[in-house]
Amino acid sequence: MPVRVAETSAPSQVSGANSGQTSLQACTLLSVGQAFTGTQNVSSLQKEEAWRVNVRIQGCDLEHGYLCGTMEALNVPMADTPVVTFWEGEIVDMKNYTFYTGKWEATPEDDIKHWTKFPSFAPLSSKVEADGGKSLDLSNCQHIFMRWKEQYFVNVGTDCGLTIAGFYYVCFSCSDGSINGFYYDPNSSPFQKLELISTNEGRSGFSFSSYELQ
Amino acid sequence: MPSTSSRHELSELLAGLASNDWEVKLGALRHMKNKIIGKKDKKLDFVELGAVAAVAKTLSDALNVNGEGNPDNIKNNIIIQSATVLGSFACGFDAGAQAVINAGAFFNLARLLSIQDAKVVDAGARSLRMVYQSKLAPKYNFLQDENMKRLISLLSNENENVSGLGASIITHSCKTTAEQVALCDAGILEKLTSLLEGSISQRDASLESLATILKNNTEVVLKFVENENGRSLDSVIELAKNKYPRTRLLACICLIVIRNTCPSFLQDIGIKAKLVRTLLELLEDPCVGDEAPFAFSSLIAQKEELQRLALEASAIEKLYCQLQKDPLRPKYIEGILLALADMCSMLESCRDSFLKLEVLDLVTKALSHDSDDVCIAACICIRSVSRSVKNLCAGHFMKDTIVTPLVKLFIKSSTAVQVAALGAISNIVVDFTTRKSAFIQCGGLKELVQLSESMDGSVRSNALWALRNLIFLADNKLKEDVFIELKAPLLASLISDPEPFVQEQAMAFVRNLVDGCIDSIEYAFTDDSLILKAIGKQLQSTAKVEIRIQGMYVLSNVAAGKDSHKEAVMNQLLPQAVSIRDQYFVIRFLQSSDSQLRTATVWALLNVTHPRSDPGAFGRYIKLQEVGIITQIKNMINDPCLEVKLRVRTILEKYASFGGSLL
């Protein structure tokens, strides 16, 4: 299982980040308890295939650029039950994390290749390529860019035949709560697309719960 | 109850003290000294049998007679031995110190300091130092000129017990900022610094006093650091490497006080690492008592960088190793548990190490310790480590072995224990797996509900906090179980509790209760909408922004339901009794400077008007327009908070689709 390079809650973990940057603004649609539903395209050359996916945010610490939650993959062919994984996210805020991954076998070229797949990255692209995006102020950006890395299987063993070796490049829209992502794992099919929308569990509006740790 | 042998021994000694023969008196005092030295049980027996009063009388008599044929050296010997016995009673024993004070001996011991006999002065000073070690000793008033002069004279005395007494008086009595400044202005820092070069006893007493004067007082710390071009500070840094463990500990405590008071000092990574290593070494040293883990805690508390350094220095392994020893004094166990709690309070890597070493098993055992302080420390430790969302998600804490002893602590009579146990449980019940019901099965729910009716506000709010976390993302069955226990009338009364923090937690509880499956919304409408009405009433009257935010999310969650739910929320937002625009709380909230409150409020408004296709949506827009809310919303189109701006635009776009003007 991949290990995070440094402490999640440590601002000093970031190389090349601007420590003077402010954190991103909170977005209620990306807060704890929020659920998303959609698909992940896992097609290969041989076969068209998409798994239904549910995501739930379980923890969020914007100050430290940290997000975590669970991802449930349904109709996975080799599994009898839905497969749930726990993931941890790095929020690109230029304070804790930059657009460059610097680990998980992702080169800066891989990073740019994936980020440019998101249309909302286009206005940022030149600055990121020029200086890593050091001068960018993302605090008013309507999109939140993240990396989600699955850490462990919640309900099945590691022998379930699935891998969580890779990670997701993710883009969240503050406007409508939609999430787009691309799975990156040098040993898997490239650019597996994740598409999720905010779900409101049959309600006529949005509902928000909360917990607070002591 | 004193033993028979103690009674017998003391009656002989008291007879000796009452003798007119001074040699016999002296012999009795010497015997008593030997009987009680280092023996707490014997001291207690003798205190209860009135020995201290008899010795105090012997001292007083000796001071007030003129010799009457007895040579001065015998009289002085009686004075010295009486003082020594009184000091021994007070040494490390509060009941003894209290008995010495109650017997009126304190004044006579102070008189000894002005007698022209060095040995008498030394005995008096030594004895008074023992009394000043107890928190029960009378407070010395530094703000009186005469007292300050006397203190300076004590500190200037060449006798190490007299100067040490001066330092002990400071350690015991200096409590306020004004006293710290007064001592600093009187040149006490310089006096204490000079004592750092004295005997071991003077050095240690001086370090302790310095820490007392410097604690949390930036002005005094600045003066100390600048003193003699930094040489005073250098002396303390040097003493942190001294060969005597107690001196090292006291020097470390002094440096920690300086750093915690003025974080810009002692930033050098070498000094920080040295402090961490020294304190970890001192944990294993029997000479330093129980203070080392507490000092370590004060070094690392709230400081990620130091916690990381401590982790690299294997702090968790070392603390765990100490905890495994048996037997341990309760105070020491408490210190170790609090140090572990601080280690795990912020960094996930520390929690990983803690869990990997299986320290949790021993900490859980400590929950059943006889000492309340140990139980509290164990709870705080579990609270810290259970801040790990990663491990909560894996269901690592919701175990019978952890939860059952915590729930048992709920029924302890001490409020502090209950609050500590509730703190730990609040985190554990967040558990994201399906194990929440395990908490109910072990009887935890009934206890929590009972505590939510406690007379103590902090217990009520913490119990509600735990209930709120318990029902976070819980299924409807579990919510039903909780609601059956709690019931609408109790919940409504907690929403209107006199304590604001209870109100906030009650609101947050309802917010989670009506979240999730649409049927959950009905809880707000039981007993003739008792809960919803209580929320509306509280929102109209409360001034606390945190309560307002939670209340608005309750309304928002209810408004995410059916048409009837939305109408009920509208009735709370626009109460009929209000006729003037500015009296609507919703308008005040939209104008708030707090972006979180504005966000919660616009979500409630968005939900009451959602979706566009809802037959009632248009009517609700009209009502909002009539009372001026739409106008207020239009003013927020460029709100500095991105989220408010986005939601406001959504509301107005829908409004425009009904034909409303965007301007």
Side-chain angles (χ1 to χ4, degrees):
Chain A
M1 185 182 294
V3 177
R4 280 164 54 207
V5 163
E7 189 52 55
T8 55
S9 50
S12 57
Q13 66 203 294
V14 181
S15 57
N18 182 350
S19 57
Q21 292 276 6
T22 51
S23 296
L24 297 184
Q25 291 195 37
C27 181
T28 321
L29 290 173
L30 195 67
S31 59
V32 292
Q34 289 308 294
F36 302 85
T37 187
T39 55
Q40 179 174 346
N41 189 317
V42 289
S43 301
S44 60
L45 287 173
Q46 294 79 27
K47 192 176 159 193
E48 279 290 316
E49 196 178 350
W51 295 345
R52 275 168 47 224
V53 173
N54 294 324
V55 163
R56 174 85 74 176
I57 309 293
Q58 312 281 27
C60 181
D61 177 5
L62 279 187
E63 183 57 34
H64 293 107
Y66 178 77
L67 193 77
C68 65
T70 47
M71 187 181 280
E72 180 185 36
L74 296 98
N75 65 300
V76 178
M78 56 283 260
D80 304 333
T81 59
V83 177
V84 183
T85 54
F86 174 78
W87 55 266
E88 291 184 301
E90 298 178 346
I91 300 172
V92 176
D93 54 7
M94 308 311 294
K95 175 187 164 200
N96 295 287
Y97 300 100
T98 70
F99 281 98
Y100 292 124
T101 309
K103 58 192 166 187
W104 303 330
E105 298 182 56
T107 63
E109 293 72 36
D110 293 323
D111 292 329
I112 295 297
K113 243 190 274 174
H114 285 81
W115 292 126
T116 48
K117 288 255 171 202
F118 301 113
S120 48
F121 181 73
L124 314 173
S125 169
S126 59
K127 282 191 175 176
V128 173
E129 289 191 68
D131 65 355
K134 281 179 190 168
S135 55
L136 283 174
D137 176 9
L138 298 174
S139 60
N140 274 305
C141 182
Q142 291 194 21
H143 292 87
I144 295 177
F145 298 93
M146 294 171 275
R147 283 177 287 270
W148 290 1
K149 175 84 186 88
E150 287 164 296
Q151 299 291 2
Y152 58 82
F153 291 101
V154 174
N155 65 335
V156 294
T158 45
D159 55 353
C160 62
L162 295 166
T163 172
I164 51 172
F167 70 94
Y168 294 86
Y169 291 90
V170 176
C171 176
F172 168 81
S173 163
C174 298
S175 179
D176 61 7
S178 63
I179 290 174
N180 284 295
F182 292 97
Y183 187 66
Y184 172 73
D185 174 4
N187 302 314
S188 299
S189 316
F191 304 113
Q192 294 180 23
K193 191 169 187 189
L194 178 73
E195 288 176 290
L196 304 167
I197 55 161
S198 187
T199 172
N200 47 19
E201 303 186 54
R203 282 171 169 245
S204 178
F206 291 87
S207 178
F208 306 100
S209 53
S210 78
Y211 70 86
E212 205 176 342
L213 294 174
Q214 290 206 30
Chain B
M1 185 135 163
S3 67
T4 315
S5 69
S6 290
R7 281 176 199 279
H8 181 68
E9 282 166 0
L10 189 64
S11 67
E12 279 182 9
L13 292 170
L14 291 180
L17 287 182
S19 166
N20 289 327
D21 183 337
W22 283 33
E23 289 287 357
V24 176
K25 265 187 206 290
L26 194 57
L29 286 167
R30 283 189 175 131
H31 266 104
M32 194 180 288
K33 182 178 76 180
N34 293 336
K35 292 268 180 211
I36 62 171
I37 195 157
K39 293 172 194 143
K40 251 188 187 165
D41 291 347
K42 189 61 82 183
K43 278 187 199 176
L44 185 60
D45 282 358
F46 279 18
V47 165
E48 288 182 3
L49 292 166
V52 174
V55 178
K57 184 174 180 308
T58 307
L59 173 64
S60 173
D61 290 348
L63 280 169
N64 293 327
V65 293
N66 294 321
E68 293 169 6
N70 290 303
D72 259 7
N73 64 336
I74 292 193
K75 177 186 151 184
N76 281 358
N77 267 345
I78 287 180
I79 292 172
I80 290 166
Q81 290 302 326
S82 306
T84 307
V85 173
L86 291 170
S88 187
F89 271 117
C91 182
F93 184 52
D94 276 346
Q98 185 68 67
V100 171
I101 295 160
N102 291 348
F106 196 80
F107 172 71
N108 282 332
L109 288 171
R111 275 174 70 192
L112 305 188
L113 302 178
S114 50
I115 285 177
Q116 297 296 318
D117 181 311
K119 285 182 180 168
V120 171
V121 172
D122 186 71
R126 197 187 284 263
S127 186
L128 283 169
R129 284 186 74 179
M130 303 297 179
V131 180
Y132 270 111
Q133 279 175 3
S134 164
K135 57 182 180 297
L136 302 170
K139 195 175 175 319
Y140 192 89
N141 186 354
F142 302 109
L143 303 178
Q144 281 179 4
D145 277 354
E146 276 309 304
N147 282 355
M148 190 64 90
K149 280 181 195 157
R150 201 172 301 129
L151 180 68
I152 291 171
S153 139
L154 291 175
L155 289 170
S156 308
N157 198 296
E158 284 180 5
N159 179 304
E160 64 171 336
N161 278 316
V162 178
S163 53
L165 170 64
S168 299
I169 290 172
I170 295 170
T171 306
H172 172 271
S173 295
C174 178
K175 303 286 180 207
T176 67
T177 308
E179 287 167 340
Q180 289 172 321
V181 172
L183 288 165
C184 179
D185 291 346
I188 299 293
L189 287 181
E190 290 77 4
K191 287 274 170 209
L192 291 171
T193 305
S194 69
L195 289 176
L196 293 177
E197 289 162 15
S199 66
I200 301 170
S201 148
Q202 285 173 320
R203 205 170 56 205
D204 288 359
S206 169
L207 283 167
E208 227 174 335
S209 295
L210 278 172
T212 308
I213 303 178
L214 299 171
K215 194 168 188 178
N216 300 328
N217 192 320
T218 315
E219 185 188 339
V220 179
V221 167
L222 286 173
K223 280 192 183 160
F224 178 75
V225 171
E226 286 163 10
N227 200 13
E228 294 182 33
N229 290 326
R231 280 203 296 277
S232 301
L233 179 62
D234 290 344
S235 303
V236 180
I237 294 173
E238 205 51 41
L239 286 172
K241 303 171 198 160
N242 193 278
K243 66 175 177 177
Y244 292 101
R246 179 133 189 96
T247 304
R248 286 207 300 280
L249 174 74
L250 294 171
C252 285
I253 291 174
C254 206
L255 294 173
I256 293 166
V257 162
I258 292 169
R259 193 174 180 278
N260 287 354
T261 306
C262 291
S264 55
F265 292 127
L266 303 170
Q267 276 299 328
D268 180 73
I269 189 82
I271 292 183
K272 289 184 210 168
K274 178 75 189 158
L275 282 171
V276 167
R277 280 199 306 274
T278 305
L279 287 169
L280 288 174
E281 280 163 21
L282 287 170
L283 286 177
E284 299 169 27
D285 199 310
C287 302
V288 295
D290 303 325
E291 291 168 76
F294 290 95
F296 178 75
S297 273
S298 64
L299 173 69
I300 61 161
Q302 303 293 320
K303 297 178 203 83
E304 283 186 10
E305 187 198 2
L306 277 153
Q307 287 164 20
R308 200 169 291 115
L309 277 175
L311 183 70
E312 284 166 16
S314 308
I316 293 182
E317 286 89 334
K318 287 178 180 166
L319 290 163
Y320 179 44
C321 183
Q322 293 306 308
L323 201 57
Q324 284 172 304
K325 291 181 181 168
D326 195 38
L328 289 172
R329 291 175 304 278
K331 192 76 191 163
Y332 188 73
I333 304 175
E334 181 196 352
I336 295 287
L337 290 171
L338 290 176
L340 282 166
D342 280 317
M343 279 300 293
C344 296
S345 62
M346 300 173 96
L347 299 177
E348 195 63 22
S349 49
C350 288
R351 295 178 197 132
D352 282 344
S353 170
F354 179 100
L355 292 168
K356 206 166 153 190
L357 286 165
E358 298 179 359
V359 189
L360 192 56
D361 293 347
L362 273 186
V363 177
T364 307
K365 270 190 192 168
L367 291 171
S368 311
H369 199 278
D370 291 338
S371 156
D372 279 0
D373 289 337
V374 171
C375 293
I376 290 170
C379 290
I380 295 172
C381 190
I382 293 174
R383 187 185 72 189
S384 274
V385 76
S386 60
R387 285 177 189 161
S388 165
V389 178
K390 185 170 79 179
N391 285 290
L392 282 169
C393 261
H396 284 161
F397 302 109
M398 188 65 91
K399 291 177 180 167
D400 190 46
T401 48
I402 301 172
V403 174
T404 302
L406 277 171
V407 170
K408 275 188 186 162
L409 293 178
F410 289 170
I411 52 171
K412 282 247 184 179
S413 56
S414 154
T415 302
V417 175
Q418 289 176 335
V419 169
L422 285 167
I425 280 291
S426 288
N427 290 358
I428 291 173
V429 296
V430 170
D431 189 290
F432 299 96
T433 63
T434 52
R435 295 187 182 89
K436 282 183 192 252
S437 54
F439 179 73
I440 296 180
Q441 280 153 17
C442 77
L445 174 61
K446 280 184 195 296
E447 296 295 341
L448 275 188
V449 172
Q450 211 163 343
L451 291 179
S452 71
E453 293 183 87
S454 161
M455 295 294 285
D456 186 282
S458 62
V459 174
R460 284 200 304 282
S461 65
N462 277 283
L464 271 171
W465 192 332
L467 286 166
R468 162 213 184 166
N469 284 357
L470 176 68
I471 61 163
F472 171 73
L473 299 184
D475 57 35
N476 214 19
K477 168 77 178 69
L478 190 134
K479 283 184 186 174
E480 210 176 300
D481 290 344
V482 174
F483 195 71
I484 286 169
E485 290 293 331
L486 202 57
K487 296 184 179 71
L490 173 57
L491 198 45
S493 76
L494 290 166
I495 291 165
S496 317
D497 192 276
E499 297 288 337
F501 201 63
V502 176
Q503 295 169 16
E504 183 190 343
Q505 292 302 330
M507 295 266 203
F509 173 87
V510 179
R511 171 181 172 180
N512 285 354
L513 187 69
V514 296
D515 174 62
C517 143
I518 195 161
D519 294 341
S520 305
I521 296 176
E522 293 303 329
Y523 291 118
F525 294 90
T526 49
D527 289 2
D528 193 24
S529 306
L530 200 56
I531 295 168
L532 192 64
K533 285 175 186 168
I535 300 261
K537 200 173 158 200
Q538 194 59 262
L539 283 172
Q540 286 183 60
S541 59
T542 185
K544 229 178 155 241
V545 74
E546 293 82 3
I547 300 172
R548 291 173 166 183
I549 291 169
Q550 294 300 342
M552 286 316 294
Y553 276 118
V554 173
L555 295 187
S556 176
N557 288 358
V558 173
K562 296 183 288 199
D563 196 60
S564 59
H565 298 142
K566 292 176 197 287
E567 280 302 323
V569 170
M570 283 296 285
N571 291 338
Q572 296 304 324
L573 294 174
L574 310 176
Q576 285 184 342
V578 176
S579 54
I580 305 167
R581 177 183 180 271
D582 289 347
Q583 284 178 344
Y584 289 108
F585 66 78
V586 65
I587 290 185
R588 291 203 307 275
F589 293 0
L590 288 170
Q591 292 168 344
S592 163
S593 59
D594 188 291
S595 63
Q596 287 186 61
L597 178 57
R598 296 200 305 280
T599 303
T601 310
V602 292
W603 269 116
L605 293 170
L606 198 149
N607 278 347
V608 288
T609 52
H610 182 87
R612 164 78 177 76
S613 56
D614 190 296
F618 179 67
R620 289 191 281 275
Y621 262 115
I622 297 297
K623 281 186 194 166
L624 294 174
Q625 184 189 31
E626 282 170 359
V627 298
I629 291 172
I630 296 295
T631 308
Q632 173 60 38
I633 290 276
K634 285 177 186 171
N635 291 338
M636 298 165 71
I637 194 113
N638 287 314
D639 193 281
C641 170
L642 175 65
E643 171 145 41
V644 172
K645 188 164 77 178
L646 291 171
R647 305 310 154 219
V648 158
R649 287 175 185 210
T650 308
I651 293 171
L652 291 177
E653 277 163 19
K654 278 195 280 175
Y655 177 65
S657 74
F658 282 118
S661 161
L662 284 174
L663 300 171

